[in-house]
Coordinates of all heavy atoms in Angstrom, one line a residue:
V250 N -26.1 110.6 229.9 CA -24.8 110.5 229.1 C -24.3 109.1 228.9 O -23.2 108.9 228.4 CB -23.7 111.3 229.9 CG1 -24.0 112.8 229.9 CG2 -23.6 110.8 231.3
G252 N -23.1 106.0 227.3 CA -22.6 105.7 226.0 C -21.9 106.9 225.3 O -21.3 106.8 224.2
L253 N -22.1 108.1 225.9 CA -21.4 109.3 225.2 C -19.9 109.3 225.5 O -19.5 108.9 226.6 CB -22.1 110.6 225.7 CG -23.5 111.0 225.3 CD1 -23.8 112.3 225.8 CD2 -23.5 111.0 223.7
R254 N -19.2 109.8 224.5 CA -17.7 109.9 224.7 C -17.4 111.3 225.0 O -17.7 112.2 224.2 CB -17.0 109.5 223.4 CG -17.3 108.0 222.9 CD -16.9 107.8 221.5 NE -17.6 108.8 220.6 CZ -17.3 109.1 219.4 NH1 -16.3 108.5 218.8 NH2 -18.0 110.0 218.7
L255 N -16.9 111.5 226.2 CA -16.6 112.9 226.7 C -15.1 113.1 226.8 O -14.4 112.3 227.4 CB -17.2 113.1 228.0 CG -18.8 112.9 228.1 CD1 -19.3 113.1 229.5 CD2 -19.5 113.8 227.1
G256 N -14.6 114.1 226.1 CA -13.1 114.3 226.0 C -12.6 115.3 227.0 O -13.3 116.3 227.3
L257 N -11.4 115.0 227.5 CA -10.7 116.0 228.4 C -9.5 116.6 227.7 O -8.5 115.8 227.5 CB -10.3 115.3 229.7 CG -11.3 114.5 230.5 CD1 -10.7 113.9 231.7 CD2 -12.5 115.4 230.8
P258 N -9.6 117.8 227.2 CA -8.4 118.4 226.5 C -7.3 118.6 227.5 O -7.5 119.4 228.5 CB -9.0 119.7 225.9 CG -10.3 119.9 226.5 CD -10.7 118.8 227.4
K259 N -6.2 118.0 227.3 CA -5.1 118.0 228.4 C -4.6 119.4 228.6 O -4.2 119.8 229.7 CB -4.0 117.0 228.1 CG -3.2 117.3 226.9 CD -1.9 116.4 226.9 CE -0.9 116.9 225.8 NZ -0.7 116.0 224.7
A286 N -20.8 107.5 231.0 CA -20.1 108.2 229.9 C -18.7 107.6 229.8 O -18.1 107.1 230.8 CB -20.0 109.7 230.2
E287 N -18.1 107.6 228.6 CA -16.8 107.1 228.4 C -15.9 108.4 228.4 O -16.1 109.3 227.6 CB -16.7 106.4 227.1 CG -15.4 105.7 226.8 CD -15.3 105.1 225.4 OE1 -16.3 105.0 224.7 OE2 -14.1 104.8 225.0
I288 N -14.9 108.4 229.3 CA -14.0 109.6 229.4 C -12.7 109.3 228.6 O -12.0 108.3 228.9 CB -13.7 109.9 230.9 CG1 -15.0 110.0 231.7 CG2 -12.9 111.2 231.0 CD1 -15.9 111.1 231.4
I289 N -12.4 110.2 227.7 CA -11.3 110.0 226.8 C -10.3 111.3 226.9 O -10.8 112.4 226.8 CB -11.8 109.8 225.4 CG1 -12.7 108.6 225.3 CG2 -10.7 109.7 224.4 CD1 -13.5 108.4 224.0
D290 N -9.0 111.0 227.0 CA -8.1 112.1 226.9 C -7.9 112.6 225.5 O -7.7 111.7 224.6 CB -6.7 111.7 227.5 CG -6.8 111.5 229.0 OD1 -7.5 112.3 229.7 OD2 -6.2 110.6 229.6
V291 N -8.0 113.9 225.3 CA -7.7 114.4 223.9 C -6.7 115.6 224.0 O -6.4 116.1 225.1 CB -9.0 114.9 223.2 CG1 -10.0 113.7 223.0 CG2 -9.7 116.0 224.0
S292 N -6.3 116.1 222.8 CA -5.4 117.2 222.8 C -5.9 118.3 221.9 O -6.4 117.9 220.8 CB -4.0 116.7 222.4 OG -3.1 117.8 222.2
L293 N -5.8 119.5 222.3 CA -6.1 120.7 221.4 C -4.7 121.4 221.3 O -4.5 122.4 222.1 CB -7.2 121.5 222.0 CG -8.5 120.8 222.2 CD1 -9.5 121.7 223.0 CD2 -9.2 120.5 220.8
R381 N -9.4 123.8 213.7 CA -9.1 122.4 213.2 C -8.8 121.5 214.4 O -9.1 120.3 214.4 CB -7.9 122.4 212.3 CG -8.4 122.9 210.9 CD -7.3 122.5 209.9 NE -7.5 123.3 208.7 CZ -6.5 123.8 208.0 NH1 -5.2 123.6 208.3 NH2 -6.8 124.5 206.9
D382 N -8.2 122.0 215.5 CA -8.0 121.2 216.7 C -9.3 120.6 217.2 O -9.4 119.5 217.5 CB -7.4 122.1 217.8 CG -5.9 122.4 217.7 OD1 -5.3 121.8 216.8 OD2 -5.4 123.1 218.6
F383 N -10.3 121.5 217.2 CA -11.6 121.0 217.7 C -12.2 120.0 216.7 O -12.8 119.0 217.1 CB -12.6 122.2 217.9 CG -12.3 123.0 219.1 CD1 -11.7 124.3 219.0 CD2 -12.7 122.6 220.3 CE1 -11.4 125.0 220.2 CE2 -12.5 123.3 221.5 CZ -11.9 124.6 221.4
D384 N -12.1 120.3 215.4 CA -12.6 119.3 214.4 C -12.1 118.0 214.6 O -12.8 116.9 214.6 CB -12.3 119.8 213.0 CG -13.1 121.0 212.6 OD1 -14.0 121.4 213.3 OD2 -12.7 121.7 211.6
Q385 N -10.7 117.9 214.9 CA -10.1 116.6 215.0 C -10.5 116.0 216.4 O -10.7 114.8 216.4 CB -8.5 116.8 215.0 CG -8.1 116.8 213.5 CD -6.7 117.5 213.3 OE1 -6.0 117.7 214.3 NE2 -6.4 117.9 212.1
A386 N -10.6 116.8 217.4 CA -11.1 116.2 218.7 C -12.5 115.6 218.6 O -12.8 114.5 219.1 CB -11.0 117.3 219.8
F387 N -13.3 116.3 217.8 CA -14.7 115.8 217.7 C -14.8 114.6 216.8 O -15.9 114.1 216.6 CB -15.6 117.0 217.3 CG -15.9 118.0 218.4 CD1 -15.7 119.3 218.2 CD2 -16.3 117.5 219.6 CE1 -16.0 120.2 219.2 CE2 -16.6 118.4 220.7 CZ -16.4 119.8 220.5
E388 N -13.7 114.2 216.2 CA -13.8 112.9 215.5 C -13.7 111.7 216.5 O -14.1 110.6 216.2 CB -12.6 112.8 214.5 CG -12.8 113.6 213.2 CD -11.6 113.7 212.4 OE1 -10.6 113.0 212.6 OE2 -11.6 114.6 211.5
K389 N -13.2 112.1 217.7 CA -13.0 111.0 218.7 C -14.0 111.1 219.8 O -14.3 110.1 220.5 CB -11.6 111.2 219.4 CG -10.4 111.1 218.4 CD -9.1 110.9 219.2 CE -7.9 111.2 218.3 NZ -7.6 112.7 218.2
V390 N -14.6 112.3 220.1 CA -15.5 112.4 221.2 C -16.7 113.2 220.8 O -16.7 113.9 219.8 CB -14.8 113.2 222.4 CG1 -13.6 112.4 222.9 CG2 -14.4 114.6 222.0
D391 N -17.8 113.1 221.6 CA -19.1 113.8 221.3 C -19.1 115.2 221.9 O -19.7 116.1 221.4 CB -20.2 113.0 221.9 CG -20.3 111.6 221.3 OD1 -20.4 111.5 220.1 OD2 -20.2 110.6 222.1
A392 N -18.4 115.3 223.1 CA -18.3 116.7 223.7 C -17.1 116.7 224.5 O -16.4 115.7 224.8 CB -19.5 116.8 224.7
L393 N -16.7 118.0 224.9 CA -15.5 118.2 225.7 C -15.9 118.8 227.0 O -16.8 119.5 227.1 CB -14.6 119.2 224.9 CG -14.0 118.7 223.6 CD1 -13.4 119.9 222.8 CD2 -12.9 117.7 223.8
L394 N -15.1 118.4 228.0 CA -15.3 118.9 229.4 C -14.0 119.7 229.8 O -12.9 119.2 229.6 CB -15.5 117.8 230.4 CG -16.6 116.8 230.0 CD1 -16.6 115.6 231.0 CD2 -18.0 117.5 230.0
S395 N -14.2 120.8 230.5 CA -13.1 121.5 231.0 C -13.5 122.5 232.1 O -14.7 122.7 232.3 CB -12.4 122.3 229.9 OG -13.1 123.6 229.7
L429 N -17.9 127.7 218.4 CA -18.7 126.6 218.9 C -19.6 127.0 220.0 O -19.5 128.0 220.6 CB -17.7 125.5 219.4 CG -16.7 125.0 218.4 CD1 -15.6 124.1 219.1 CD2 -17.4 124.3 217.3
Q446 N -17.2 123.6 232.2 CA -17.5 124.0 230.8 C -17.7 122.7 230.0 O -16.9 121.8 230.1 CB -16.4 124.8 230.2 CG -16.6 125.1 228.8 CD -15.6 126.2 228.2 OE1 -16.0 127.3 227.8 NE2 -14.4 125.8 228.2
I447 N -18.8 122.7 229.2 CA -19.0 121.7 228.2 C -19.0 122.3 226.9 O -19.6 123.4 226.7 CB -20.4 121.0 228.5 CG1 -20.5 120.5 230.0 CG2 -20.6 119.8 227.6 CD1 -21.9 120.2 230.4
I448 N -18.3 121.7 225.9 CA -18.2 122.2 224.6 C -18.7 121.1 223.6 O -18.3 120.0 223.8 CB -16.8 122.6 224.2 CG1 -16.1 123.4 225.3 CG2 -16.7 123.3 222.9 CD1 -14.6 123.5 225.2
T449 N -19.5 121.5 222.6 CA -19.9 120.5 221.6 C -19.7 121.0 220.2 O -19.4 122.2 220.0 CB -21.4 120.1 221.7 OG1 -22.2 121.3 221.7 CG2 -21.7 119.4 223.0
P450 N -19.8 120.2 219.2 CA -19.6 120.7 217.8 C -20.6 121.8 217.4 O -21.7 121.9 218.1 CB -19.8 119.4 216.9 CG -19.5 118.3 217.9 CD -20.0 118.7 219.2
H451 N -20.3 122.5 216.4 CA -21.2 123.6 215.9 C -22.6 123.1 215.8 O -22.9 122.1 215.2 CB -20.6 124.0 214.5 CG -21.2 125.3 214.1 ND1 -21.8 125.5 212.9 CD2 -21.2 126.5 214.7 CE1 -22.2 126.8 212.7 NE2 -21.8 127.4 213.8
Q453 N -24.7 122.0 217.9 CA -25.2 120.9 218.7 C -25.5 121.3 220.1 O -25.1 120.7 221.1 CB -24.1 119.8 218.7 CG -24.0 119.2 217.3 CD -23.6 117.8 217.3 OE1 -23.8 117.0 218.3 NE2 -23.0 117.3 216.2
L456 N -27.3 118.6 222.3 CA -26.4 117.7 223.0 C -25.7 118.4 224.2 O -25.6 117.8 225.3 CB -25.4 117.2 222.0 CG -24.3 116.3 222.5 CD1 -24.9 115.0 223.1 CD2 -23.2 116.0 221.5
L457 N -25.4 119.6 224.0 CA -24.7 120.4 225.1 C -25.6 120.5 226.3 O -25.2 120.2 227.4 CB -24.5 121.8 224.5 CG -23.7 122.8 225.3 CD1 -22.3 122.4 225.4 CD2 -23.8 124.2 224.7
V460 N -25.9 117.0 228.1 CA -24.8 116.7 229.0 C -24.9 117.6 230.3 O -24.7 117.2 231.4 CB -23.4 116.9 228.3 CG1 -22.3 116.6 229.3 CG2 -23.4 116.0 227.1

Side-chain angles (χ1 to χ4, degrees):
V250 290
L253 286 183
R254 299 162 306 164
L255 304 179
L257 308 182
K259 68 167 191 249
E287 188 187 345
I288 308 295
I289 299 169
D290 289 322
V291 296
S292 173
L293 300 168
R381 284 195 198 142
D382 280 357
F383 283 103
D384 291 346
Q385 277 157 17
F387 286 129
E388 285 169 12
K389 302 191 197 86
V390 297
D391 302 300
L393 296 164
L394 307 175
S395 84
L429 302 174
Q446 177 170 243
I447 308 163
I448 310 166
T449 54
H451 195 236
Q453 295 209 22
L456 176 63
L457 187 69
V460 179

